[in-house]
Amino acid sequence: MVFQLANRYPASVAFTVQLLAALFGVIHVAVICKLINYALRLRLRSASVSLDVLRTWVDMTIPRIDWDLPLRFFFPVTLMVFFSLVPAALWAGSFAPLVSSTSTSMVLRCPDYTRNISLIKEYPMEIGKAGPSYRNSQGLFTFSVGQQLIGPLLSAAAGASSNDSLAKITHPKIDNTQFSYTGRSYGVGSSAGLTDLDFPQANAAGYKYNEYGYLTTAQCIYNQSSNFTLSGPVNEWIYAAAGTLPDSVEGPEYSNYIGHNAKAIVAMGVAYSELSPRRYVAITAGEFYAHLNNTQCEFDFAPTMFEVTVDLANLNITVKPTSAIPETYIHESDARNITRTVVRQFELLSNDLTNLYDSLLGQALNSSIAAYSMSMGGSWPPLTQEERTLGGLANAMIAMADDMLVAYGSAQLMVGTRINSTTSVPRVADVYLYALQFGQPAYIYAVFALNTVIVLAVLVERYRTRVWADLTRFNYLDPRDLIVAASRGGEQLAHAADDMVGQDGRKVPRHVWLLSDPDEGNGRLVVRLRADEGGHAAIEVDEARSEALMGEGWVSYEDVGVDEEKAVAKEAWERREKGRVGVFGSAR
């Protein structure tokens, strides 16, 4: 709930954090300034201060920047103002909500090839004899992959070589879940978007799990001795693709293709016998696709454990092979049936995608070959045309085989479970959830250290001053105390301020900064604090120090000799040093 609010209203959360940080920062600064105020009030009992120093004390205790201060006072005040901002900043960093993550585990249903795979088989191409299917908002799920999922498979073939290698391609999952694979799917990850709907997706970042599958590889060559060829027409617009493959058992392969002529036909032959020990796809093509003629691809399906990582925020799936698993995890006959069914889909695709004028499958394979040629254009030595063709062809065949396995896995989950619940298996997934982390450790430790320092400072000052036993009621921050104490000092203070004028009878104006006001020139006037018999504070002029300052800068050297000039200069310097008052005042 809190995470959702913070994620939905980040500006409001930032506003609240700033308010709380400012509030806690004010508490810190108030304590620090109170200590400074008490210390300077104790100092004022035994020190004479100029009016500039008194202004500096006020500015440091509030704290604020006074642009009229002399530079030697201005910089300490500025430093104090800067440090007064630090506590609030530390508090903001110590409890500002940050996006973090935590983990939990949940059960995910995955396709299972160790139990009931009777639905994974080759179905007749006739209308009404297709395998079981199910359609919903998440997509079409069917066991007739080579017939009813032609569009996605054709897209996979065309985009198989869009990047330098299959490992870098991003391509959509073969459904409507909007998920995409980064790199190869390896035929796994079908559960994403289908059986993970029970996850706490409102704040789930993603999840990771292991899944059994097949690591598919394909080696493509030119087999010039292949006798799988086109012939005909055997009937009007009908051509035959027939011949024996390296893994043919129980006779040669045969299938029919349509066309005005054989030039635009791309035919794929796959052993139909269930006893075939290997997995070959032989291609014979007409003149328009002559570069594909007599190509042959051998598939290998290695049972493998895969690590599937699903990014729910970006709808990405990343699959990584982790280890080989024993062949016995699936019964040999079942494994043979699955892989045979996958490879047989290529023959169905080539039939479905050939028309009177062109072969859509041939165009998709050409797209993969062209992309592969461009991606490998910088290689040296340059690839031959044969290498480019076989490389692009192998990528397309692998991409289609991966998507077919994903389609069968999705059908096991969405169709098989509606008929027989043994087509899926529960697996434990590590789920990563978005969470809120309040503050960073460095700022939390800094606030703790600051609190400790302030508490220690209060205790030390309390001990040093004997619980501020000598603290007077006079507070230089209170204008009431200043007015009353100045009135008790009498008219002497006002006369002394009036006497601090230049030789021409005007006040000494000074502008230090653009933002400053004209200075009346009486900041150098030195005062001291006195108490009457009743203990009431009175502000009086420190005559000795004020007198020393009044002559500063107005030394005349007319009509004097060298020795006299040095004596006058020395006397003026002594008066100036005697009247100088530091930032903490001057002892009487």
Side-chain angles (χ1 to χ4, degrees), residues 420-441:
N420 190 328
S421 61
T422 60
T423 58
S424 64
V425 61
R427 296 200 181 279
V428 176
D430 295 326
V431 184
Y432 301 95
L433 306 175
Y434 288 119
L436 284 182
Q437 172 185 328
F438 289 93
Q440 293 183 354

Tab-separated table of all heavy atoms in Angstrom, residues 420-441:
chain	number	residue	atom	x	y	z
A	420	ASN	N	-6.648	-32.413	-19.455
A	420	ASN	CA	-5.980	-33.332	-18.535
A	420	ASN	C	-5.000	-32.517	-17.701
A	420	ASN	O	-4.069	-31.922	-18.238
A	420	ASN	CB	-5.255	-34.427	-19.318
A	420	ASN	CG	-4.753	-35.539	-18.413
A	420	ASN	OD1	-4.400	-35.288	-17.270
A	420	ASN	ND2	-4.720	-36.758	-18.907
A	421	SER	N	-5.183	-32.505	-16.406
A	421	SER	CA	-4.389	-31.649	-15.524
A	421	SER	C	-2.937	-32.100	-15.383
A	421	SER	O	-2.145	-31.425	-14.743
A	421	SER	CB	-5.033	-31.579	-14.133
A	421	SER	OG	-5.093	-32.873	-13.558
A	422	THR	N	-2.591	-33.243	-15.954
A	422	THR	CA	-1.223	-33.751	-15.792
A	422	THR	C	-0.276	-33.199	-16.844
A	422	THR	O	0.836	-33.681	-16.983
A	422	THR	CB	-1.219	-35.279	-15.863
A	422	THR	OG1	-1.735	-35.700	-17.136
A	422	THR	CG2	-2.063	-35.878	-14.758
A	423	THR	N	-0.689	-32.209	-17.616
A	423	THR	CA	0.199	-31.651	-18.636
A	423	THR	C	1.048	-30.504	-18.111
A	423	THR	O	1.824	-29.922	-18.854
A	423	THR	CB	-0.616	-31.150	-19.836
A	423	THR	OG1	-1.560	-30.177	-19.378
A	423	THR	CG2	-1.350	-32.298	-20.508
A	424	SER	N	0.888	-30.143	-16.848
A	424	SER	CA	1.714	-29.091	-16.258
A	424	SER	C	2.245	-29.571	-14.921
A	424	SER	O	1.736	-30.519	-14.326
A	424	SER	CB	0.905	-27.798	-16.069
A	424	SER	OG	-0.138	-28.006	-15.143
A	425	VAL	N	3.288	-28.898	-14.455
A	425	VAL	CA	3.929	-29.282	-13.208
A	425	VAL	C	4.226	-28.006	-12.416
A	425	VAL	O	4.600	-26.983	-12.991
A	425	VAL	CB	5.232	-30.064	-13.479
A	425	VAL	CG1	6.229	-29.217	-14.243
A	425	VAL	CG2	5.844	-30.577	-12.181
A	426	PRO	N	4.029	-28.003	-11.099
A	426	PRO	CA	4.345	-26.810	-10.300
A	426	PRO	C	5.851	-26.678	-10.075
A	426	PRO	O	6.536	-27.662	-9.815
A	426	PRO	CB	3.604	-27.054	-8.992
A	426	PRO	CG	3.498	-28.542	-8.883
A	426	PRO	CD	3.381	-29.064	-10.282
A	427	ARG	N	6.346	-25.457	-10.191
A	427	ARG	CA	7.757	-25.186	-9.899
A	427	ARG	C	7.838	-23.954	-9.007
A	427	ARG	O	7.029	-23.030	-9.114
A	427	ARG	CB	8.551	-24.957	-11.186
A	427	ARG	CG	8.596	-26.175	-12.078
A	427	ARG	CD	9.751	-26.085	-13.064
A	427	ARG	NE	9.772	-27.232	-13.939
A	427	ARG	CZ	10.275	-28.411	-13.614
A	427	ARG	NH1	10.808	-28.580	-12.422
A	427	ARG	NH2	10.250	-29.417	-14.474
A	428	VAL	N	8.820	-23.959	-8.146
A	428	VAL	CA	9.020	-22.841	-7.223
A	428	VAL	C	9.790	-21.734	-7.941
A	428	VAL	O	10.853	-21.987	-8.534
A	428	VAL	CB	9.775	-23.288	-5.964
A	428	VAL	CG1	10.048	-22.088	-5.060
A	428	VAL	CG2	8.980	-24.347	-5.222
A	429	ALA	N	9.240	-20.544	-7.910
A	429	ALA	CA	9.884	-19.385	-8.532
A	429	ALA	C	10.276	-18.391	-7.448
A	429	ALA	O	9.525	-18.155	-6.496
A	429	ALA	CB	8.944	-18.728	-9.535
A	430	ASP	N	11.463	-17.829	-7.591
A	430	ASP	CA	11.916	-16.755	-6.705
A	430	ASP	C	11.374	-15.432	-7.245
A	430	ASP	O	11.745	-15.007	-8.340
A	430	ASP	CB	13.440	-16.705	-6.633
A	430	ASP	CG	14.023	-17.957	-6.000
A	430	ASP	OD1	13.383	-18.508	-5.096
A	430	ASP	OD2	15.113	-18.393	-6.426
A	431	VAL	N	10.496	-14.808	-6.477
A	431	VAL	CA	9.838	-13.585	-6.917
A	431	VAL	C	10.525	-12.389	-6.269
A	431	VAL	O	10.751	-12.366	-5.057
A	431	VAL	CB	8.341	-13.593	-6.552
A	431	VAL	CG1	7.649	-12.358	-7.115
A	431	VAL	CG2	7.679	-14.861	-7.072
A	432	TYR	N	10.863	-11.408	-7.091
A	432	TYR	CA	11.491	-10.182	-6.601
A	432	TYR	C	10.443	-9.072	-6.590
A	432	TYR	O	9.852	-8.760	-7.619
A	432	TYR	CB	12.680	-9.800	-7.484
A	432	TYR	CG	13.726	-10.880	-7.530
A	432	TYR	CD1	13.733	-11.821	-8.573
A	432	TYR	CD2	14.674	-10.998	-6.532
A	432	TYR	CE1	14.688	-12.833	-8.607
A	432	TYR	CE2	15.627	-12.003	-6.558
A	432	TYR	CZ	15.628	-12.914	-7.600
A	432	TYR	OH	16.557	-13.920	-7.632
A	433	LEU	N	10.220	-8.512	-5.396
A	433	LEU	CA	9.176	-7.511	-5.218
A	433	LEU	C	9.790	-6.138	-5.008
A	433	LEU	O	10.821	-5.989	-4.340
A	433	LEU	CB	8.299	-7.856	-4.010
A	433	LEU	CG	7.671	-9.250	-3.997
A	433	LEU	CD1	6.943	-9.473	-2.688
A	433	LEU	CD2	6.718	-9.419	-5.167
A	434	TYR	N	9.148	-5.133	-5.603
A	434	TYR	CA	9.526	-3.764	-5.291
A	434	TYR	C	9.146	-3.453	-3.849
A	434	TYR	O	8.094	-3.860	-3.353
A	434	TYR	CB	8.806	-2.778	-6.215
A	434	TYR	CG	9.309	-2.780	-7.632
A	434	TYR	CD1	8.470	-3.114	-8.686
A	434	TYR	CD2	10.612	-2.428	-7.927
A	434	TYR	CE1	8.928	-3.109	-9.992
A	434	TYR	CE2	11.088	-2.414	-9.220
A	434	TYR	CZ	10.230	-2.754	-10.249
A	434	TYR	OH	10.687	-2.747	-11.530
A	435	ALA	N	9.998	-2.736	-3.170
A	435	ALA	CA	9.731	-2.362	-1.786
A	435	ALA	C	10.282	-0.964	-1.545
A	435	ALA	O	11.039	-0.426	-2.360
A	435	ALA	CB	10.374	-3.365	-0.824
A	436	LEU	N	9.865	-0.387	-0.443
A	436	LEU	CA	10.359	0.935	-0.062
A	436	LEU	C	11.399	0.795	1.033
A	436	LEU	O	11.162	0.134	2.047
A	436	LEU	CB	9.220	1.829	0.425
A	436	LEU	CG	8.298	2.419	-0.633
A	436	LEU	CD1	7.269	3.317	0.019
A	436	LEU	CD2	9.086	3.197	-1.678
A	437	GLN	N	12.532	1.406	0.813
A	437	GLN	CA	13.574	1.479	1.840
A	437	GLN	C	13.627	2.923	2.313
A	437	GLN	O	13.839	3.838	1.516
A	437	GLN	CB	14.919	1.066	1.255
A	437	GLN	CG	16.083	1.292	2.209
A	437	GLN	CD	17.410	0.982	1.561
A	437	GLN	OE1	17.501	0.118	0.709
A	437	GLN	NE2	18.442	1.699	1.959
A	438	PHE	N	13.410	3.123	3.598
A	438	PHE	CA	13.389	4.483	4.127
A	438	PHE	C	14.798	4.896	4.518
A	438	PHE	O	15.343	4.448	5.521
A	438	PHE	CB	12.438	4.575	5.321
A	438	PHE	CG	10.996	4.461	4.929
A	438	PHE	CD1	10.360	3.230	4.950
A	438	PHE	CD2	10.296	5.573	4.515
A	438	PHE	CE1	9.035	3.115	4.575
A	438	PHE	CE2	8.964	5.469	4.141
A	438	PHE	CZ	8.339	4.244	4.168
A	439	GLY	N	15.374	5.752	3.684
A	439	GLY	CA	16.690	6.305	3.961
A	439	GLY	C	17.823	5.398	3.558
A	439	GLY	O	17.670	4.183	3.412
A	440	GLN	N	18.987	6.022	3.382
A	440	GLN	CA	20.207	5.292	3.087
A	440	GLN	C	21.030	5.165	4.368
A	440	GLN	O	21.041	6.077	5.201
A	440	GLN	CB	21.022	6.005	2.011
A	440	GLN	CG	20.335	6.010	0.652
A	440	GLN	CD	21.203	6.656	-0.409
A	440	GLN	OE1	22.269	7.190	-0.116
A	440	GLN	NE2	20.736	6.635	-1.638
A	441	PRO	N	21.718	4.040	4.526
A	441	PRO	CA	22.466	3.823	5.773
A	441	PRO	C	23.432	4.947	6.118
A	441	PRO	O	23.566	5.312	7.288
A	441	PRO	CB	23.201	2.507	5.502
A	441	PRO	CG	22.339	1.796	4.501
A	441	PRO	CD	21.760	2.878	3.636
